[in-house]
């Protein structure tokens, strides 16, 4: 039941992303990476607070992994801001999306951390699909393979002449790792 709920919520959010952004992958990435930074922060924070309340060491590794996930998603956002150059309207949308999702996910995590992790695992699987589609469009020449932002080159230790496609391959690998980690955490 929880798995079905997590999957259906993922498809609900995917529908809005597909409808609003269609094939504007750079702009889509900006909004989605803004939202993607929320779950790790909430999960890490609430797991940390639970550990303090119970006066236990438990899940210290999980706390750090969740906070690292949030930081990694923030880095992705910074990369795509340089690529997409969001306008004022999109920046407002980012704020609204983040505030809305923050409250939704906070309540969901308080009710069921395992369902929350499962939903994020599915979100990350959808992100892998989206980045694969983005990469296919670049490789087919439909989207220009511009130079990767210097921030991404530094973060991933890529070659100085790295391109957008190289960056997307690295980001997609991060998203795959986040999916696997959240599937694992859903078992706690």
């Amino acid at each position: 039941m929880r798995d079905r709920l997590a999957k259906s919520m993922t498809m609900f959010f995917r529908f809005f992303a597909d409808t609003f952004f269609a094939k504007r992958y750079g702009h889509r990435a900006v909004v989605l990476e803004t939202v993607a930074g929320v779950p790790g922060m909430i999960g890490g924070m609430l797991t940390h607070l639970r550990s303090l309340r119970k006066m236990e060491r438990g899940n210290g590794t999980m706390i750090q992994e969740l906070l690292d996930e949030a930081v990694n998603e923030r880095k992705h956002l910074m990369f795509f801001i340089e690529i997409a150059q969001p306008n004022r309207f999109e920046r407002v949308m980012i704020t609204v999306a983040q505030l809305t999702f923050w409250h939704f996910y906070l309540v969901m995590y308080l009710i069921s951390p395992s369902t929350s992790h499962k939903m994020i695992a599915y979100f990350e699987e959808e992100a892998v699909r989206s980045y694969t589609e983005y990469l296919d469009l670049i490789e087919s020449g439909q989207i220009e393979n511009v130079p990767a932002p210097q921030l991404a080159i530094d973060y991933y230790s890529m070659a100085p002449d790295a391109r957008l496609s190289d960056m997307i391959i690295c980001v997609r690998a991060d998203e795959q790792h986040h999916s696997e980690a959240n599937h694992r955490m859903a078992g706690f």
Side-chain angles (χ1 to χ4, degrees):
M1 177 71 168
R2 282 190 243 175
D3 191 61
R4 199 173 308 148
L5 177 65
K7 188 74 163 174
S8 64
M9 284 189 288
T10 300
M11 298 319 292
F12 172 77
F13 288 115
R14 173 76 194 231
F15 170 77
F16 282 106
D18 288 346
T19 301
F20 189 79
F21 294 105
K23 300 292 182 190
R24 296 175 49 222
Y25 284 97
H27 292 83
R28 172 193 200 114
V30 167
V31 174
L32 296 180
E33 293 295 349
T34 300
V35 169
V38 169
M41 189 58 66
I42 287 176
M45 175 186 69
L46 292 178
T47 304
H48 172 75
L49 292 174
R50 183 176 59 237
S51 177
L52 293 174
R53 277 192 316 275
K54 291 184 172 190
M55 296 176 218
E56 299 173 344
R57 287 189 201 177
N59 293 330
T61 305
M62 183 176 160
I63 294 166
Q64 190 60 54
E65 188 173 7
L66 287 165
L67 295 176
D68 289 345
E69 178 182 319
V71 169
N72 179 257
E73 297 290 8
R74 186 183 63 80
K75 288 288 190 179
H76 294 173
L77 173 64
M78 297 300 114
F79 307 156
F80 285 106
I81 284 175
E82 287 191 42
I83 299 294
Q85 298 292 310
N87 62 34
R88 187 177 301 247
F89 173 72
E90 289 165 330
R91 289 177 183 269
V92 170
M93 269 191 46
I94 288 166
T95 302
V96 170
Q98 187 182 72
L99 285 171
T100 302
F101 190 73
W102 172 271
H103 290 92
F104 167 79
Y105 194 75
L106 176 65
V107 170
M108 184 176 174
Y109 204 93
L110 287 168
I111 293 169
S112 177
S114 61
T115 303
S116 301
H117 284 295
K118 189 58 97 168
M119 183 182 79
I120 297 310
Y122 290 138
F123 272 26
E124 300 294 1
E125 288 174 9
E126 291 300 320
V128 169
R129 281 190 200 96
S130 290
Y131 285 123
T132 299
E133 291 169 9
Y134 194 5
L135 190 58
D136 290 345
L137 290 171
I138 292 167
E139 290 174 348
S140 71
Q142 295 176 49
I143 294 177
E144 184 181 356
N145 195 10
V146 298
Q150 188 61 47
L151 182 63
I153 290 170
D154 295 342
Y155 184 72
Y156 290 119
S157 301
M158 295 188 292
D161 62 345
R163 310 300 287 181
L164 176 59
S165 59
D166 301 315
M167 182 188 85
I168 290 173
I169 289 168
C170 293
V171 169
R172 183 178 62 179
D174 288 345
E175 303 297 5
Q176 182 63 46
H177 172 73
H178 298 325
S179 174
E180 293 163 3
N182 276 280
H183 275 300
R184 178 176 37 80
M185 288 180 215
F188 280 102

